[in-house]
């Protein structure tokens, strides 16, 4: 049987691909629209960033900005912004722009925008009713870290404490570690000498009736001489800065100096208050025990000398008499001879009212095993004041609490609601703890960690001063500080100050003057260098 075979020519696939490519190359080229056709030329403007003329001025004043290429764009949507607020252009030439400073402007950068392009210009200070007194020695100030507290001392001077290592470039061999006394002009008082100072942070001080100073914080040594268990989170100094000490003789006949304030704690003290009537010392912190020492005691076998320590369990707060002895009539359960349960979180701020009652605020939600909602008011004996009712209170941390005219309280922090109602990080409380319906901040500070409010207080003129990490407040551009009217609205004309680089811890009003000393951890405000201390005038 014969088979018939049919032969076909087969091309390899590579050859077919080459033929297809050759065929495609013979097609007419694509003549679609050029995607880059009609693109606008880049804006050819140059701005002199060195300085506007003048370099500062109030809202409504005229400012000249110099540069090149302005006139070409005068009808192309040219806009000039003062720290984000648009000004009114009054004239345009090739090399200069004249602009009116707008209402609501604040110190910062002048920028020019045209055809969706933004050009940074010079810095400009918008002047207003609040100013930094540059005659006050804010520089060099504290050399590093933070100033935690400030208080008055006799002679118109101030006592400052914190975790700085020197102040005002003192020239002292060991600087001024943690504590310094300064004159009314901000310069160091060199008659106050602390030797090597404290080995840790000094969170607060009070002055006793005899002029001696109680200092508290997180330290265990003073002047390099009072360590080794002789000092524990609290100290008393003489008015010249030396340790208030006594000499003791042990059973072996050895004589040595020990702190005269026989008071010790087992953990950091974060706040200290002093009662007006009796000068008693109220301390708050992360401690569990108050202790006293009996130097040169005899051990139980009657043969060896020792230091005998008496202790009382006191959770988070305790009250001492002016001489440093323990006051058993405050926060102590007589049935157990230990304190009642302390706060179950951190105490961020405290306040002693004129009636002797105490406000505590922070992260805690319970005190003495009762729900307190992060703010609680105590009676003078440490019991909870049932007439102060915040309901569920704030839904997050309270960083600062301050007295306001009329017996009210200003609370600020990280909370977004108070007693179930939206309240963005700032709330005014009435004397009974309920929110004041006449105070509202509108949208206030937005959610998020950058919106945390660190500090709030009232200036001597009644305005409310707020500080934090925010960039806007109720729709107004503000970089770290805002001044409110007593009803919570952004105060018109008062918010010209520029960015604050850091945080504020405390304010202290200057007697007989519309001025306030401010301390914290900051290095610049309103384009002016300020080293952790400044004097505001208004």
């Amino acid at each position: 049987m014969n088979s018939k075979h049919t032969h076909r020519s087969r091309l390899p696939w590579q050859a077919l691909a080459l033929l297809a490519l050759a065929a495609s190359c013979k097609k007419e080229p694509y003549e679609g629209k050029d995607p880059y056709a009609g693109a606008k030329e880049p804006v050819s403007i140059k701005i002199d960033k060195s300085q506007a003329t003048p370099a500062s001025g109030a809202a409504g004043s005229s400012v000249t900005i110099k540069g090149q290429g302005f006139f070409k764009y005068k009808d192309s949507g040219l806009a000039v912004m003062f720290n984000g607020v648009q000004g009114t252009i009054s004239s345009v030439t090739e090399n200069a722009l004249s602009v009116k400073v707008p209402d609501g402007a604040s110190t910062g950068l002048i920028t020019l925008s045209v055809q969706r392009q933004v050009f940074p210009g010079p810095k400009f200070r918008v002047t207003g009713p609040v100013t930094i007194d540059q005659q006050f020695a804010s520089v060099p100030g504290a050399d590093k870290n933070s100033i935690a507290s400030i208080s008055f001392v006799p002679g118109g001077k101030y006592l400052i404490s914190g975790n700085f290592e020197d102040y005002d470039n003192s020239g002292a061999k060991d600087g001024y570690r943690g504590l310094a006394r300064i004159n009314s002009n901000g310069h160091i008082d060199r008659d106050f000498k602390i030797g090597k100072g404290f080995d840790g942070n000094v969170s607060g001080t009070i002055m006793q009736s005899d002029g001696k100073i109680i200092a508290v914080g997180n330290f265990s040594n003073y002047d390099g001489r009072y360590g080794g268990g002789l000092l524990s989170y609290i100290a008393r100094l003489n008015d010249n800065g030396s340790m208030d000490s006594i000499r003791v003789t042990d059973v072996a006949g050895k004589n040595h100096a020990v702190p005269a304030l026989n008071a010790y704690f087992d953990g950091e003290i974060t706040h200290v208050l002093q009662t007006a009537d009796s000068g008693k010392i109220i301390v708050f912190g992360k401690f569990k025990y108050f202790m006293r020492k009996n130097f040169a005691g005899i051990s139980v076998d009657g043969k060896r000398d020792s230091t005998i320590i008496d202790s009382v369990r006191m959770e988070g707060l305790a009250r001492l008499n002016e001489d440093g002895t323990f006051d058993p009539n405050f926060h102590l359960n007589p049935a157990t001879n230990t304190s009642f349960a302390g706060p179950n979180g951190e105490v961020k701020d405290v306040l002693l009212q004129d009636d002797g009652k105490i406000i505590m605020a922070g992260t805690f939600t319970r005190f003495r095993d009762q729900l307190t909602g992060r703010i609680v008011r105590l009676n003078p004996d440490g019991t909870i004041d049932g007439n102060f009712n915040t309901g569920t209170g704030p839904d997050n941390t309270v960083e600062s609490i301050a007295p306001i005219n009329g017996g009210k309280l200003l609370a600020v922090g990280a909370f977004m609601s108070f007693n179930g109602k939206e309240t963005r990080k700032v709330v005014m409380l009435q004397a009974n703890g309920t929110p004041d319906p006449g105070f509202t901040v509108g949208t206030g500070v937005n959610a998020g960690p950058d919106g945390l409010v660190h500090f709030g207080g009232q200036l001597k003129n009644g305005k409310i001063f707020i500080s934090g990490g925010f960039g806007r407040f109720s729709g107004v551009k503000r970089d770290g500080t805002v001044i409110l009217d007593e009803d919570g609205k952004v105060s018109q004309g008062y918010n010209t100050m520029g960015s604050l680089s850091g945080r504020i811890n405390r304010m202290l009003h200057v007697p007989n003057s519309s001025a306030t000393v401010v301390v914290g951890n900051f290095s610049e405000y309103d384009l002016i260098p300020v080293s952790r201390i400044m004097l505001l005038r208004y």
Side-chain angles (χ1 to χ4, degrees):
M1 180 172 159
N2 295 325
S3 300
K4 188 175 179 180
H5 296 279
T6 303
H7 297 280
R8 294 180 181 176
S9 174
R10 300 193 179 205
L11 292 173
W13 68 269
Q14 294 93 339
L16 292 173
L18 288 171
L19 288 172
L21 179 62
S24 68
C25 290
K26 293 180 181 180
K27 292 181 180 180
E28 293 297 324
Y30 173 73
E31 294 183 354
K33 183 178 179 180
D34 182 357
Y36 300 102
K40 295 180 179 179
E41 295 181 1
V43 176
S44 55
I45 281 179
K46 293 183 180 180
I47 299 179
D48 181 359
K49 299 180 183 179
S50 61
Q51 184 172 302
T53 306
S56 63
S61 62
S62 183
V63 179
T64 299
I65 303 165
K66 296 182 179 180
Q68 297 176 19
F70 297 141
F71 190 78
K72 178 179 178 181
Y73 302 99
K74 71 183 184 66
D75 298 318
S76 302
L78 193 66
V80 178
M81 314 291 284
F82 288 78
N83 201 19
V85 181
Q86 186 170 344
T88 302
I89 298 175
S90 55
S91 68
V92 182
T93 68
E94 179 65 15
N95 302 112
L97 286 170
S98 291
V99 193
K100 180 181 177 182
V101 180
D103 292 336
S106 56
T107 296
L109 194 68
I110 295 176
T111 57
L112 186 150
S113 65
V114 60
Q115 298 179 2
R116 297 185 179 182
Q117 295 188 52
V118 178
F119 301 86
K123 293 178 180 179
F124 184 81
R125 179 175 296 110
V126 181
T127 58
V130 182
T131 60
I132 296 174
D133 185 342
Q134 297 188 63
Q135 300 304 308
F136 183 86
S138 295
V139 177
D143 64 334
K144 60 175 62 176
N145 301 324
S146 179
I147 298 177
S149 75
I150 181 168
S151 58
F152 287 115
V153 293
K157 299 180 180 183
Y158 305 101
L159 191 68
I160 58 171
S161 73
N163 56 355
F164 50 88
E165 295 184 5
D166 196 17
Y167 188 87
D168 197 25
N169 284 347
S170 67
K173 176 183 176 182
D174 297 297
Y176 277 81
R177 298 176 65 92
L179 190 68
R181 191 168 70 193
I182 61 177
N183 297 310
S184 59
N185 61 4
H187 285 297
I188 191 78
D189 177 6
R190 288 178 170 78
D191 292 332
F192 184 80
K193 303 180 186 299
I194 64 171
K196 295 180 180 179
F198 290 93
D199 66 340
N201 180 53
V202 181
S203 58
T205 63
I206 59 172
M207 177 163 285
Q208 299 190 297
S209 58
D210 58 2
K212 294 182 179 180
I213 298 162
I214 298 289
V216 302
N218 189 8
F219 52 79
S220 59
N221 197 315
Y222 182 73
D223 195 19
R225 301 167 53 202
Y226 295 92
L230 291 177
L231 211 60
S232 189
Y233 306 105
I234 186 169
R236 186 169 66 202
L237 308 180
N238 295 311
D239 61 1
N240 63 0
S242 63
M243 174 65 70
D244 180 18
S245 62
I246 58 173
R247 306 214 51 102
V248 297
T249 304
D250 60 27
V251 293
K254 242 174 129 176
N255 185 273
H256 50 98
V258 299
L261 183 74
N262 193 353
Y264 302 82
F265 289 87
D266 69 327
E268 178 184 1
I269 299 175
T270 56
H271 300 87
V272 60
L273 297 174
Q274 183 180 40
T275 61
D277 55 349
S278 58
K280 292 189 177 185
I281 307 161
I282 308 172
V283 293
F284 308 78
K286 301 173 183 178
F287 52 83
K288 297 289 186 183
Y289 286 91
F290 165 79
M291 296 166 286
R292 283 179 67 81
K293 295 183 178 182
N294 180 8
F295 295 97
I298 304 298
S299 62
V300 291
D301 61 10
K303 296 179 180 178
R304 299 189 307 276
D305 62 301
S306 63
T307 300
I308 299 174
I309 300 176
D310 297 321
S311 65
V312 181
R313 184 174 177 87
M314 296 299 295
E315 294 185 7
L317 65 159
R319 188 170 70 191
L320 311 181
N321 296 310
E322 192 171 20
D323 62 0
T325 56
F326 177 70
D327 182 356
N329 300 312
F330 180 85
H331 189 50
L332 186 72
N333 185 344
T336 61
N337 201 37
T338 62
S339 74
F340 293 95
N344 67 339
E346 187 176 358
V347 176
K348 290 278 192 175
D349 204 5
V350 297
L351 172 66
L352 183 64
Q353 297 187 158
D354 291 339
D355 59 4
K357 294 184 178 182
I358 302 160
I359 305 286
M360 292 195 309
T363 67
F364 60 87
T365 56
R366 300 182 68 88
F367 178 71
R368 291 172 73 112
D369 287 329
Q370 297 183 43
L371 289 172
T372 55
R374 299 183 178 88
I375 300 178
V376 63
R377 186 166 71 191
L378 310 182
N379 294 309
D381 62 357
T383 58
I384 295 175
D385 180 5
N387 295 320
F388 186 81
N389 185 10
T390 61
T392 57
D395 66 344
N396 209 328
T397 303
V398 178
E399 291 280 337
S400 168
I401 192 156
I404 302 297
N405 295 341
K408 297 178 182 180
L409 296 167
L410 178 71
V412 303
F415 51 87
M416 293 296 288
S417 69
F418 194 97
N419 200 15
K421 183 178 180 181
E422 184 179 67
T423 308
R424 292 177 178 259
K425 304 180 181 179
V426 179
V427 65
M428 185 73 72
L429 303 180
Q430 300 181 101
N432 62 3
T434 59
D436 179 4
F439 181 91
T440 176
V441 296
T443 56
V445 179
N446 291 331
D450 291 340
L452 179 66
V453 179
H454 301 134
F455 176 82
Q458 188 170 38
L459 300 176
K460 294 179 74 174
N461 60 3
K463 303 285 184 181
I464 308 297
F465 186 92
I466 303 290
S467 173
F470 49 86
R472 299 187 73 83
F473 194 94
S474 292
V476 178
K477 181 173 174 58
R478 298 300 303 136
D479 294 317
T481 64
V482 65
I483 295 177
L484 310 177
D485 292 327
E486 292 186 73
D487 61 1
K489 293 182 176 61
V490 176
S491 188
Q492 294 298 312
Y494 265 82
N495 285 281
T496 61
M497 303 291 279
S499 176
L500 174 75
S501 62
R503 73 180 280 169
I504 289 171
N505 291 330
R506 290 284 179 239
M507 294 194 317
L508 184 66
H509 297 320
V510 179
N512 305 316
S513 178
S514 294
T516 299
V517 183
V518 180
V519 299
N521 185 8
F522 46 79
S523 57
E524 184 181 270
Y525 189 36
D526 201 40
L527 300 181
I528 297 174
V530 281
S531 295
R532 298 160 185 87
I533 187 169
M534 58 184 169
L535 177 64
L536 297 182
R537 294 196 179 275
Y538 43 89

